[in-house]
Amino acid sequence: MAKHPAPRLGFTPDSQFPAVYAEKGVVSFRLTTPFRSGELAGLTAIEGDFVASSIPDQAIFRLSDGTCQQFTGKRTPSNEPHLGLNAITLGASQLHQHDLFSSELQAYFSWMTYSLHNLHSGEGLVGSTPEMDLQVSPHTLELSEDQLILSVSVRYSIDCIEEQIVALLQDNLPTLETKLDITRSFPPIAFDRSHPMLETMRRSYESVTGLDGHPIITTGATYARFMPNIIAFGPSFPGQIGIAHNHNEYMFVDDLKRNIEIYRRTLDELLR
């Protein structure tokens, strides 16, 4: 974009079918909670395969008595937390009354349990807010000297603004001393649903699949957020949930062939 003008039309195959006319907002937080000296003595390390794009399937809590507590969940993309099992919050739910832990640490893990464990729509953090259409995904937990640092990704409705989410979360932090930092911020975007390109994509998709091709909203994030005149279009089909951002990411050969035909028809019409 620094050297060339934006394309007149186009799409990125980095999402799902049918055509995606809108992407929900994304805001990521780092919650840093300090503890008084010695209050974290029962916990010596936290380990896991933690990445921002997924909820973790492994979390190891090493304790001061030399033992370790390992928790196995199910990895899934962070925009679809309900499809998996978060190993971090699972660990908190099992350890929040551990005898080795101080009352402060027990309270912290209790907050995580009752605010986040299997509460993917934010109901444990901000109450029942269906109009915000939240997906809440804790994805990283770090032990740093006398601090615990929890990183959380939140997706929200295209009709909301980030400040609403921040304000609600500020009122529901684990302690008064917890510091909230925003580490990533993608406002929601929406493309004109009546645009001729979307109609072309609908016809191409329906002619190949026989399925309803009207445009949809996604919880994912693509570079269409930053590139004018671009939307996300494919490559996964309805029902193919959780195949991305996972171990052994895959696509069936027949579906790859359907992709080729959908894109061929779409490009043929757009380029006329």
Side-chain angles (χ1 to χ4, degrees), residues 194-249:
S194 64
H195 195 284
M197 180 171 69
L198 288 179
E199 178 61 20
T200 295
M201 292 173 168
R202 182 190 66 79
R203 288 196 301 268
S204 297
Y205 176 77
E206 290 182 347
S207 66
V208 173
T209 67
L211 302 173
D212 181 9
H214 286 88
I216 59 173
I217 298 174
T218 184
T219 57
T222 77
Y223 69 78
R225 292 176 182 268
F226 309 103
M227 181 73 76
N229 308 324
I230 296 289
I231 66 166
F233 187 41
S236 65
F237 292 95
Q240 295 180 332
I241 301 174
I243 66 173
H245 302 302
N246 213 334
H247 300 304
N248 302 314
E249 187 178 54

Side-chain angles (χ1 to χ4, degrees), residues 124-215:
L125 280 176
V126 299
S128 179
T129 54
E131 71 280 1
M132 291 186 174
D133 193 17
L134 302 180
Q135 283 84 40
V136 178
S137 298
H139 58 78
T140 304
L141 182 62
E142 305 167 73
L143 173 62
S144 177
E145 297 180 347
D146 290 330
Q147 299 180 133
L148 284 174
I149 305 170
L150 177 67
S151 295
V152 183
S153 176
V154 178
R155 319 280 169 137
Y156 59 92
S157 167
I158 63 172
D159 298 319
C160 289
I161 59 173
E162 182 181 292
E163 288 74 13
Q164 292 176 279
I165 312 300
V166 174
L168 287 169
L169 189 54
Q170 285 279 16
D171 291 336
N172 292 277
L173 297 176
T175 72
L176 293 175
E177 293 76 26
T178 297
K179 179 184 177 185
L180 182 153
D181 293 301
I182 297 174
T183 57
R184 183 171 69 158
S185 175
F186 294 161
I189 61 164
F191 198 84
D192 180 5
R193 292 188 70 179
S194 64
H195 195 284
M197 180 171 69
L198 288 179
E199 178 61 20
T200 295
M201 292 173 168
R202 182 190 66 79
R203 288 196 301 268
S204 297
Y205 176 77
E206 290 182 347
S207 66
V208 173
T209 67
L211 302 173
D212 181 9
H214 286 88

Side-chain angles (χ1 to χ4, degrees), residues 63-122:
L63 309 186
S64 59
D65 63 358
T67 64
C68 71
Q69 299 286 329
Q70 182 168 346
F71 299 93
T72 300
K74 180 182 177 183
R75 183 175 294 273
T76 192
S78 59
N79 65 319
E80 296 173 324
H82 60 286
L83 298 178
L85 177 60
N86 194 311
I88 291 174
T89 60
L90 175 63
S93 72
Q94 299 297 310
L95 295 175
H96 73 279
Q97 294 181 326
H98 200 285
D99 292 340
L100 280 177
F101 293 167
S102 67
S103 59
E104 284 189 24
L105 185 52
Q106 288 179 348
Y108 180 88
F109 282 140
S110 292
W111 170 84
M112 191 182 296
T113 300
Y114 298 114
S115 298
L116 295 169
H117 184 51
N118 289 333
L119 299 169
H120 311 300
S121 299

